Amino acid sequence: MHLRTPVALALALSAPLSAFAQAASSTPASTADDVVVTATRSPQSVRHAVRPVQVITAEDIRVAGAGSLTELLRSLAGVETVTNGGLGQSSSVFMRGASAGHTVVLLDGVRIGSATLGTASLESIPLALIERVEVLPGPSSSLYGADAIGGVIQVFTKSATRSPGVNLALTVGEEELGQLAGSYAARLGDTEVALGANALRTRGHDATTSAAWGHNPDRDGYRDIGLSGRVVQHLGGGQQVGVQLLRSAGTADYDGSATADNRSIDRTQTLAAHWSGPLLAGVDSTVRLGRSWDQSRREGSDPGHIDTTQDQLSWLNHVAVGGGTLTAGLEWLRQGVDSDTAYGVTHRQVSSGLAGWRGTVGALSVQADVRGDHNSQFGDHFTGQLAGAWQLSPTLRLRASVGSAFKAPTFNELYFPDSWGSHGNPDLKPERSVSTEVGADWTADGLTVGATLFSNQIRDLIQWVETPAGSFAYIPQNTSRAQIDGLTLTAAAELGRATRVRAQFTAQSPEDRDSGAQLQRRARAFGNLHLTHAIGAVTVGSDLGWTGRRWDSTDQTAGTQMGGYALVALFGTWKLAPDWSLEGRVNNLTDRRYEQAQGYVPTGRQAQLTLRWTPLF
């Protein structure tokens, strides 16, 4: 490993964590009995997950206010984010130092994202419609297929099971921020119903610097209307059928001309239906049919549109075998592109089969998964993982895993039409990776501490290369190998009866092994500290996030270094009455000027206030 100074800093920071144990009384945030599904594609408690799964809870979402999912994700261990401006502007997520396109994003079990860009518009999913988020770091292609080199993010919308009742919230804030959100969820006999709606508007700020290409010294605002719905009918005998949808339609102003007002009108949408229940005696099955849309229309100096769809069908079966659970299934995916720019190829299909087993024998828990994917463009790819955890004592658990993953080139990387000499490369090969990790979790008297060492080797890394040099024409190529070694530390505790603490720290070495350069926009060290304290009907808290220096180039070109920064947020809730609460939040309290991407200006100090009504029934 090449962690050097970050490792020393990480170990130094971990020492004070032992002091939490003396005053800890219960585990904050998600509990060890919380149920997750992302790590195995079947329900299991967090305490039995062989690989570490991080959960963003409904409370975390409420405290975040009228923010974005991208901002909330950066509070997790091993997760970095970049936003090109303020609310609604394009963003990227890097998990364990992997590229932005190395993360699979699911919305209620449906894969979402752009087939041309290779990333999902997380910034377009309204926080107000989300119930919880599960994040699985590390290679997961053996469970989810292509692109899961860095990990998986699964978003769950409101449901009658976890968030019953009525919730209405009105938010106002600086930059003329206004948001109205509401949800209703209930079980009515054998029918579960959940509905949600969100409307947000902000004038924003000037999102680019004066030196940026196409800078327009105006405000870059954002408007969004979001809707979600879910109906589940229980049929008896453990069977159920359901349908769900989410639609988010946002308009973001952006700079692309010094004189024109440019805007991007984007739509993220999913529609899915499912059946689940016992197919045969002892066989529990789920069939899901869905489609996701990622659509963008540009207006202004560079008009155009590009729409991508992902049609998907899955059939999963779970059987009790050998004291554990055997999972086997088939999946089918079709990706399509429709654009006013002519792509040479506009669709591809992937057929997949997967099988896995998880179980516990004494103090040892094991998970093994294999998967085969047949891509109509690239042929066959096989991936697998083997993971185990040993409960060494009632308080200490050791774990280890090894897994492979791959990423299929996007339609842009393959077929992007010639534009000023830049174009796609149909001869690209998929990126491939092998990753290992070892870790430990210690729990005692309500204190939970975790540590994970990981190493990820990526071959045939795809990068856009200036060809020839000095031409300002870029062509994607399989250029190099990446080596990402790292360490994550996490801790959660309750100090006394009123104060909760969560902390995470990541030290890593995301490097291009051929050039020795630090991978673009990824830091060697970053962390977060979350504190809350209850005083009667009032709860106050703070978030402190820190990120080390990064480079906004693939080769650490002079002038592209971005310095490290720390951000402080304060928040609070006042319970006015059983049904009413007043919530406030101030982001970037010190009005720190910092860079996440060169040429773009993140939000400065921003305050907001929310009035929430949650009637009791």
Side-chain angles (χ1 to χ4, degrees), residues 48 50 321-326 357-362 364-368 387 389:
H48 293 141
V50 178
V321 173
T325 299
L326 174 68
W357 182 85
R358 64 176 174 89
T360 300
V361 180
L364 180 65
S365 298
V366 176
Q367 179 179 340

Side-chain angles (χ1 to χ4, degrees), residues 486-517:
L487 166 69
T488 62
L489 299 171
T490 61
E494 192 167 295
L495 309 180
R497 296 184 177 180
T499 303
R500 291 183 173 182
V501 181
R502 291 204 312 269
Q504 62 88 0
F505 183 85
T506 300
Q508 61 183 14
S509 59
E511 292 183 354
D512 181 328
R513 292 305 302 271
D514 291 341
S515 67

Side-chain angles (χ1 to χ4, degrees), residues 13-14 16-32 46 53-55 57 60 75-77 440-451 489-496 499-505 528-532:
L13 289 177
S14 67
L17 298 179
S18 61
F20 293 169
Q22 296 180 359
S25 59
S26 66
T27 303
S30 61
T31 68
V46 172
V53 182
Q54 301 182 81
V55 178
T57 66
D60 296 327
S75 66
L76 301 181
D441 302 300
W442 180 67
T443 303
D445 299 322
L447 170 67
T448 299
V449 177
L489 299 171
T490 61
E494 192 167 295
L495 309 180
T499 303
R500 291 183 173 182
V501 181
R502 291 204 312 269
Q504 62 88 0
F505 183 85
N528 180 270
L529 177 64
H530 177 88
L531 301 169
T532 61

Side-chain angles (χ1 to χ4, degrees), residues 206-217 255 599 601:
D206 189 1
T208 60
T209 66
S210 58
W213 180 87
H215 173 70
N216 188 341
D255 289 351
V601 181

Side-chain angles (χ1 to χ4, degrees), residues 38-72:
T38 306
T40 60
R41 304 198 64 169
S42 62
Q44 67 174 161
S45 68
V46 172
R47 74 167 70 243
H48 293 141
V50 178
R51 291 175 54 192
V53 182
Q54 301 182 81
V55 178
I56 294 176
T57 66
E59 176 66 11
D60 296 327
I61 295 169
R62 185 191 63 77
V63 165
S68 71
L69 176 56
T70 308
E71 294 174 345
L72 196 53

Side-chain angles (χ1 to χ4, degrees), residues 264-342:
S264 177
I265 302 171
D266 303 308
R267 180 171 65 133
T268 296
Q269 182 172 317
T270 63
L271 177 63
H274 78 271
W275 167 86
S276 66
L279 182 65
L280 300 170
V283 180
D284 292 323
S285 296
T286 299
V287 177
R288 187 182 305 275
L289 174 65
R291 165 175 271 206
S292 65
W293 293 261
D294 188 287
Q295 301 174 313
S296 178
R297 186 172 81 250
R298 302 184 309 276
E299 296 181 349
S301 63
D302 183 27
H305 82 274
I306 185 164
D307 304 335
T308 70
T309 57
Q310 299 195 71
D311 297 317
Q312 45 210 288
L313 174 64
S314 67
W315 175 33
L316 290 179
N317 302 277
H318 307 291
V319 186
V321 173
T325 299
L326 174 68
T327 298
L330 300 172
E331 295 189 321
W332 175 83
L333 172 70
R334 183 185 188 276
Q335 297 178 320
V337 177
D338 177 29
S339 175
D340 54 1
T341 301

Side-chain angles (χ1 to χ4, degrees), residues 446-529:
L447 170 67
T448 299
V449 177
T452 302
L453 281 167
F454 60 89
S455 179
N456 193 359
Q457 300 179 45
I458 304 173
R459 293 175 291 169
D460 296 322
L461 187 69
I462 297 173
Q463 298 190 78
W464 288 78
V465 179
E466 191 177 21
T467 308
S471 65
F472 295 100
Y474 290 83
I475 301 173
Q477 298 179 11
N478 295 106
T479 60
S480 60
R481 302 168 297 148
Q483 177 77 33
I484 307 168
D485 299 326
L487 166 69
T488 62
L489 299 171
T490 61
E494 192 167 295
L495 309 180
R497 296 184 177 180
T499 303
R500 291 183 173 182
V501 181
R502 291 204 312 269
Q504 62 88 0
F505 183 85
T506 300
Q508 61 183 14
S509 59
E511 292 183 354
D512 181 328
R513 292 305 302 271
D514 291 341
S515 67
Q518 189 169 320
L519 295 179
Q520 188 173 13
R521 296 184 178 178
R522 274 148 280 185
R524 289 187 177 275
F526 55 93
N528 180 270
L529 177 64

